[in-house]
Amino acid sequence: MRLVAEFEIYCDALPLVEVAATVPEATLILELQFNHGERPLFLVTITNGSDQAVTNALSDAYDVGEWTLVGEAGDTRRYQVMPALSFEEQLGGHIDDLAGLEALATADAIIERIEVLPDGWRQTGWFADREAFNKFSTFWQQNADFRLFRLTRNRESKPPGDGLTNHQQEALRTAYEMGHFDIPRRASLEDVATELDISASSLSERLRRAETQLIEETVATTWPPLPD
């Protein structure tokens, strides 16, 4: 079962996070070139942010060595950046399991997009199966903060809930708007069923199926596997 996931890793020690924090109005997209030894070359696409602000941020960042502007088109600039630190030097004081981090490089996954944020990375990745995704998400849950935004089994990454049927979406929305999920509850199952002109048992089944689908798309896929 192939999965596509979009998630954030909150760790301010990740490469170029300082640059993103210094120029928050800019959008930084990072590509890693792992064929450059312990210090993979960074290819960075920066959109928005003034030239001077970006130049100063790159020059002052503790984890940036030499850098070169290699292309420019409108508000978009492409840089080649040589990191000043190895991953071990950069993350060793923040992540205990560096061996586990290195192992992620051989996981059955492809990270196709990394957006550098002022407090971490937002990534989109392809995973061969749930085991590969669990391995990745469990590592970051244990070593930083991890938040899943989207997960799908399809080719296109979609928001959680796109797997619901129209009837399930309608049932969830109506129940929510009427206060069925409030504490204390403002609408009973029978109240919502009457509004939808269906039986309470039919509504209960729709809600259970919808809740199960949402759990499978979001929460369940981030849980570590149960021990044998």
Side-chain angles (χ1 to χ4, degrees):
M1 178 182 63
R2 299 177 185 86
L3 299 172
V4 181
E6 183 178 352
F7 49 88
E8 282 188 16
I9 300 167
Y10 298 98
C11 177
D12 56 13
L14 286 168
L16 299 183
V17 167
E18 180 185 347
V19 175
T22 303
V23 194
E25 65 274 17
T27 299
L28 280 71
I29 305 299
L30 171 63
E31 300 173 45
L32 303 177
Q33 303 295 302
F34 283 106
N35 57 343
H36 287 74
E38 294 184 354
R39 300 186 184 184
L41 189 68
F42 298 161
L43 301 180
V44 187
T45 301
I46 300 181
T47 305
N48 300 321
S50 72
D51 290 345
Q52 191 61 53
V54 171
T55 295
N56 291 343
L58 289 171
S59 298
D60 295 341
Y62 76 96
D63 56 353
V64 171
E66 297 180 356
W67 59 270
T68 305
L69 175 64
V70 296
E72 186 173 5
D75 292 333
T76 300
R77 297 172 295 281
R78 294 270 290 175
Y79 297 87
Q80 181 173 283
V81 176
M82 178 63 68
L85 307 170
S86 68
F87 270 111
E88 181 176 358
E89 292 169 332
Q90 178 137 13
L91 299 174
H94 301 267
I95 294 177
D96 294 331
D97 186 11
L98 287 176
L101 179 61
E102 293 178 0
L104 292 184
T106 61
D108 294 330
I110 298 174
I111 303 300
E112 66 177 3
R113 188 177 192 273
I114 301 173
E115 180 180 354
V116 185
L117 305 174
D119 55 2
W121 285 359
R122 184 166 188 146
Q123 298 185 328
T124 301
W126 293 69
F127 298 86
D129 50 35
R130 181 168 293 188
E131 180 180 355
F133 178 75
N134 282 341
K135 179 180 179 181
F136 193 95
S137 60
T138 298
F139 173 85
W140 285 112
Q141 287 170 20
Q142 294 174 344
N143 290 275
D145 288 327
F146 178 92
R147 180 182 177 188
L148 178 66
F149 287 94
R150 299 182 181 183
L151 185 69
T152 181
R153 299 183 181 92
N154 300 322
R155 292 183 178 273
E156 297 297 330
S157 183
K158 300 175 182 178
D162 273 19
L164 300 178
T165 67
N166 291 337
H167 286 316
Q168 290 168 354
Q169 290 182 0
E170 180 186 33
L172 275 178
R173 183 177 62 252
T174 304
Y176 174 78
E177 292 174 349
M178 292 181 66
H180 179 68
F181 300 113
D182 290 358
I183 302 175
R185 183 167 289 170
R186 295 189 293 108
S188 67
L189 192 69
E190 290 74 15
D191 293 333
V192 180
T194 298
E195 177 68 20
L196 293 171
D197 196 24
I198 59 176
S199 68
S201 60
S202 294
L203 173 61
S204 178
E205 181 179 352
R206 286 184 192 179
L207 291 178
R208 286 201 309 272
R209 290 182 182 276
E211 290 162 359
T212 299
Q213 179 70 22
L214 289 174
I215 290 171
E216 289 180 350
E217 291 180 1
T218 55
V219 180
T221 54
T222 67
W223 290 340
L226 293 174
D228 296 331

